[in-house]
């Protein structure tokens, strides 16, 4: 019997290594000031690249699947936040206030693009729909995530409505600049996609190091205990299971065919680490380290669980095709 290998994302290992580095050698004083500037620039660069890569023509072409995209957006920015608010019942006896803030924040960030496409493809779902759904989610998330954070988090974790201005300057303007310049830089980005992927990930690692260093200097990590972390794992496992069930069942009730249900399940049940980390650094400032911890944990959990589900969906589809072929071959089809 072939053993099922669960994916341990190498990038998550890099993030954990960065957190460990920040714990052992946090940036202090002048070093912290020196890291802060490049970290801010890295966030702006990330969203410029996001904007430059998003094909406006492909996005408009994908509008013909508007029911599917609305379903994914509703799962991402409505159902997820409602479940996050329901977790308020776990505060403070199970989740500390800071961990709850991070838990609620993770329910507000956009869906993923790359992993949604990969798992949809593996499960033999509607890959073009997954591409458009992830792109729309990222696009809407630049505006909706800060607005939802302002409405639901208030001043929690150091967040303030004034952060919306920083979002506009650090995230929205670079994104729009990328969209505007795409016709001139799009070809270059496509040719150097692999190298720029390292730039993306390196920028996020710098953001993580800056956030966790500041958390260490301020001593906020003393608030996190092993029982609290176990409680966070349990709460996130329940959250992920609920979204996987709701997206699959709900898409079926809405009459979507199997291929679309697969795309909806994988695009509607995920949260983007790549978008969420830089957003948290802008929104939460000194409190960003605890705010992103739940998102980092959820990211790895969703990869492991969705890998298993995608393989099973693929096996089911192969089995169904085999049965049809057998019926045709026997003359009964």
């Amino acid at each position: 019997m072939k053993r099922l290998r669960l994916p341990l994302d190498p990038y998550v290992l890099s993030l954990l290594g960065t957190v460990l580095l920040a714990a052992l050698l946090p940036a202090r004083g002048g070093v912290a000031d020196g890291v802060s500037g490049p970290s801010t620039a890295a966030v702006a660069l990330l969203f410029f690249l996001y904007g430059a890569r998003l094909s406006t023509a492909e996005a408009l072409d994908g509008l013909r699947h508007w029911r599917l995209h609305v379903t994914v957006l509703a799962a991402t920015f409505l159902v997820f936040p409602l479940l996050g608010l329901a977790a308020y019942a776990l505060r403070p006896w199970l989740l500390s206030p800071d961990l709850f803030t991070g838990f609620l924040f993770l329910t507000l960030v956009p869906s993923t693009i790359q992993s949604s496409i990969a798992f949809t493809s593996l499960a033999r779902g509607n890959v073009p729909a997954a591409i458009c759904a992830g792109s729309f989610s990222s696009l809407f998330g630049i505006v909706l995530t800060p607005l939802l954070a302002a409405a639901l988090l208030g001043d929690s974790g150091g967040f303030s409505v004034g952060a919306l201005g920083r979002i506009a300057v650090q995230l929205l303007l670079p994104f729009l600049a990328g969209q505007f310049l795409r016709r001139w830089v799009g070809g270059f980005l496509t040719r150097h996609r692999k190298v720029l992927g390292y730039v993306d990930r390196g920028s996020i690692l710098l953001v993580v190091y800056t956030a966790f260093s500041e958390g260490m200097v301020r001593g906020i990590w003393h608030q996190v205990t092993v029982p609290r972390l176990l409680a966070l794992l349990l709460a996130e496992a329940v959250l992920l299971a609920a979204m996987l069930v709701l997206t699959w069942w709900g898409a079926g009730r809405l009459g979507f065919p199997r291929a679309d249900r697969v795309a909806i399940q994988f695009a509607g049940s995920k949260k983007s680490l790549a978008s969420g980390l830089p957003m948290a650094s802008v929104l939460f400032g000194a409190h960003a380290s605890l705010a992103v911890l739940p998102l980092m944990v959820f990211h790895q959990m969703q990869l492991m669980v969705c890998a298993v589900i995608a393989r099973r969906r693929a096996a089911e589809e192969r089995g169904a095709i085999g049965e049809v072929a057998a019926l045709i071959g026997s003359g009964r089809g």
Side-chain angles (χ1 to χ4, degrees):
M1 181 178 177
K2 187 177 179 180
R3 294 181 62 186
L4 180 65
R5 295 181 61 188
L6 296 177
L8 185 59
D9 188 0
Y11 188 47
V12 171
L13 294 179
S14 299
L15 288 169
L16 294 176
T18 303
V19 171
L20 180 61
L21 177 63
L24 298 176
L25 297 171
R28 301 174 184 271
V31 176
D33 294 336
V35 171
S36 177
S39 178
T40 301
V43 171
L45 175 62
L46 275 173
F47 279 82
F48 173 82
L49 293 176
Y50 292 159
R53 288 172 182 152
L54 180 61
S55 171
T56 306
E58 290 178 1
L60 293 175
D61 183 57
L63 285 175
R64 68 176 185 271
H65 298 295
W66 66 269
R67 287 183 65 247
L68 184 148
H69 302 317
V70 168
T71 302
V72 172
L73 289 173
T76 303
F77 296 113
L78 179 61
V79 180
F80 250 120
L82 288 175
L83 292 177
L85 288 173
Y88 188 84
L90 305 178
R91 178 184 184 270
W93 61 277
L94 198 59
L95 294 178
S96 68
D98 287 322
L99 285 180
F100 170 74
T101 296
F103 182 87
L104 182 55
F105 173 72
L106 90 83
T107 67
L108 308 181
V109 303
S111 177
T112 62
I113 300 178
Q114 289 90 345
S115 61
S116 295
I117 295 169
F119 289 133
T120 299
S121 176
L122 178 60
R124 302 189 175 191
N126 188 338
V127 175
I131 295 172
C132 291
S135 299
F136 282 133
S137 182
S138 296
L139 180 60
F140 279 90
I142 294 177
V143 176
L144 288 181
T145 296
L147 292 178
L148 287 170
L152 301 181
L153 295 177
D155 294 330
S156 300
F159 175 80
S160 65
V161 178
L164 293 177
R166 295 195 298 273
I167 282 284
V169 173
Q170 286 187 245
L171 307 186
L172 185 58
L173 287 181
F175 180 87
L176 294 176
Q179 276 282 285
F180 178 75
L181 296 174
R182 187 180 189 281
R183 60 184 299 182
W184 295 285
V185 302
F188 175 83
L189 296 180
T190 301
R191 292 192 300 271
H192 299 85
R193 180 176 300 176
K194 185 174 181 180
V195 174
L196 290 171
Y198 292 118
V199 173
D200 279 1
R201 296 189 170 201
S203 299
I204 293 176
L205 291 176
L206 179 60
V207 170
V208 170
Y209 176 74
T210 303
F212 278 80
S213 288
E214 192 161 3
M216 287 297 300
V217 171
R218 291 174 178 266
I220 62 175
W221 277 97
H222 296 298
Q223 305 170 25
V224 182
T225 63
V226 173
R228 295 287 195 186
L229 289 176
L230 292 176
L232 176 64
L233 283 171
L234 178 60
E236 295 197 348
V238 172
L239 175 66
L240 179 59
M243 288 306 302
L244 286 167
V245 170
L246 288 172
T247 49
W248 182 256
W249 174 83
R253 295 288 293 178
L254 291 172
F256 286 101
R258 178 198 174 277
D260 288 352
R261 291 178 72 187
V262 170
I264 290 169
Q265 183 178 49
F266 289 124
S269 63
K270 288 197 185 57
K271 289 297 180 177
S272 173
L273 189 69
S275 297
L277 287 177
M279 284 184 177
S281 70
V282 177
L283 290 171
F284 295 99
H287 299 264
S289 54
L290 280 182
V292 301
L293 178 62
L295 179 59
M296 291 172 62
V297 172
F298 190 82
H299 175 80
Q300 181 58 40
M301 186 182 295
Q302 71 187 9
L303 289 181
M304 296 174 68
V305 173
C306 288
V308 175
I309 293 175
R311 289 169 184 150
R312 289 183 177 175
R313 295 262 183 259
E316 291 169 359
E317 181 69 2
R318 286 193 297 269
I321 293 173
E323 290 178 5
V324 172
L327 287 172
I328 295 174
S330 65
R332 291 181 289 171

